[in-house]
Amino acid sequence: MRPQKIGLCLIGFVLCILPSLLWAQGTCTITKRGELPIEEVGGRFVIAAKINHQPVMMLIDSGASHGALEPGLGEALMLSEQQNKTVNISGLGGKISTHPYVASLFEVGPVTQFNYDINLANIGTPETANNPKAPVGLIGVDTLSRHDLEFDFPNKVLRFYDVSHCSGRFIPWTGEYQDVHAFTMGRHLFIIPVGINGNVVHALVDTGSRQTSLSQSTVNKAHLSDDQKTGKTMQFYGSSGTTIAKQYKLDSFVVGRSKFSNVPVYVQPESYGQFDMLLGMDFMKWRKVWLSYKTEQVFMQFTPKEAH
């Protein structure tokens, strides 16, 4: 009978340690928390939110660290201004200092925030001045980063997920997609390496920018030459003002494993600080983009609009 007792002990030992192993390794779980329709307005994407139960259209801005409202809207929504607190905002056109307002309730999809500080900044553009769906504020990563986000731009849907014990290529997409190495700067701003004319530069994934653009210092870093200028210019609108950018054509542009040629980009006359360029909506609007704030990963998939 002794061999039988040893066998039972071995079986029992395996059964005992198996739950511990599963717990230690974890099982990747993805839980959908909600979805909202998004709309394209002037080359940027907006979503409906609520401030103190009042509906407002907000720009989805993965390049902004904090939420903001157009000047004057705080009073219109009867928000209280914090006169004893000053916030410095840096953006295109320089820096501004404002007093934030407090929203007793701020709601975006499954995200609910109480007594939420919200800054003031210029959001709209002249092209969307008369559009009733034009954004009057922006949603920054202080709100967006509470969930993993799947931006299905071609089909105009934003989905919110909670993920646990996940890593690698875990997202539930079919077909080929890219996992782009990323690192986060500051408060969940995603920076990814891209290739320009064979040179590696660092791009901020910026859903708040309608155009992909480079900083002036990147012209030298990426070895761009004057013969790549097209002579075209574009006015860019930022939270702190406006700038005029010059257009270049890139011989090669690489994101992940995808390579593009003859790509138009704009060069801003100022530095972007810790990154070299903004990867804007002119590139992302044709793709699904998953920003995994939980695992600090970025996934992209070129996706034609689905038939309905």
Side-chain angles (χ1 to χ4, degrees), residues 38-46 59-63 151-154 156-157 204-213 236 264 277-289 291 300:
I38 56 179
E39 298 192 51
E40 184 177 358
V41 179
R44 302 185 297 178
F45 282 79
V46 301
L59 175 68
I60 309 166
D61 195 347
S62 65
F151 294 94
D152 187 348
F153 290 117
K156 296 182 170 58
V157 178
L204 173 68
V205 179
D206 189 2
T207 61
S209 178
R210 59 176 176 163
Q211 292 288 146
T212 296
S213 62
F236 279 67
M277 66 181 294
L278 306 178
L279 188 65
M281 289 310 306
D282 56 331
F283 180 84
M284 289 186 284
K285 69 183 291 184
W286 311 106
R287 290 164 170 77
K288 286 182 179 179
V289 178
L291 300 182
M300 294 185 183

Side-chain angles (χ1 to χ4, degrees), residues 10 15 74 97 111 140 152 209 238 295:
L10 289 174
L15 290 177
S97 296
V111 180
D152 187 348
S209 178
T295 67

Side-chain angles (χ1 to χ4, degrees), residues 40-165:
E40 184 177 358
V41 179
R44 302 185 297 178
F45 282 79
V46 301
I47 197 169
K50 290 183 179 180
I51 297 178
N52 294 349
H53 304 292
Q54 298 295 314
V56 290
M57 297 303 292
M58 307 282 278
L59 175 68
I60 309 166
D61 195 347
S62 65
S65 60
H66 201 84
L69 288 174
E70 285 276 7
L73 195 59
E75 292 85 352
L77 292 172
M78 302 180 67
L79 307 183
S80 58
E81 184 179 6
Q82 298 191 72
Q83 291 285 351
N84 61 342
K85 186 175 181 180
T86 300
V87 176
N88 297 314
I89 300 175
S90 298
L92 295 180
K95 298 181 180 180
I96 58 173
S97 296
T98 69
H99 300 295
Y101 283 74
V102 179
S104 58
L105 183 63
F106 182 46
E107 301 170 276
V108 183
V111 180
T112 300
Q113 294 170 272
F114 299 96
N115 298 320
Y116 175 66
D117 283 3
I118 191 163
N119 300 326
L120 298 181
N122 298 309
I123 310 298
T125 65
E127 294 88 347
T128 61
N130 297 319
N131 191 326
K133 295 181 179 179
V136 296
L138 66 82
I139 303 169
V141 297
D142 58 325
T143 298
L144 297 175
S145 62
R146 292 170 178 256
H147 297 277
D148 268 28
L149 302 178
E150 179 189 22
F151 294 94
D152 187 348
F153 290 117
N155 295 292
K156 296 182 170 58
V157 178
L158 171 59
R159 302 180 181 95
F160 301 78
Y161 294 91
D162 285 339
V163 301
S164 178
H165 301 296

Side-chain angles (χ1 to χ4, degrees), residues 183 185 191-194 196 199-204 212-219 221-222 266-268 270-279:
F183 65 90
M185 182 189 73
I191 312 296
I192 64 173
V194 302
I196 296 179
N199 304 285
V200 176
V201 301
H202 295 96
L204 173 68
T212 296
S213 62
L214 311 177
S215 67
Q216 182 60 48
S217 60
T218 308
V219 171
K221 186 175 182 179
Y266 288 87
V267 174
Q268 299 279 0
E270 55 187 50
S271 173
Y272 288 157
Q274 299 181 51
F275 49 90
D276 304 307
M277 66 181 294
L278 306 178
L279 188 65

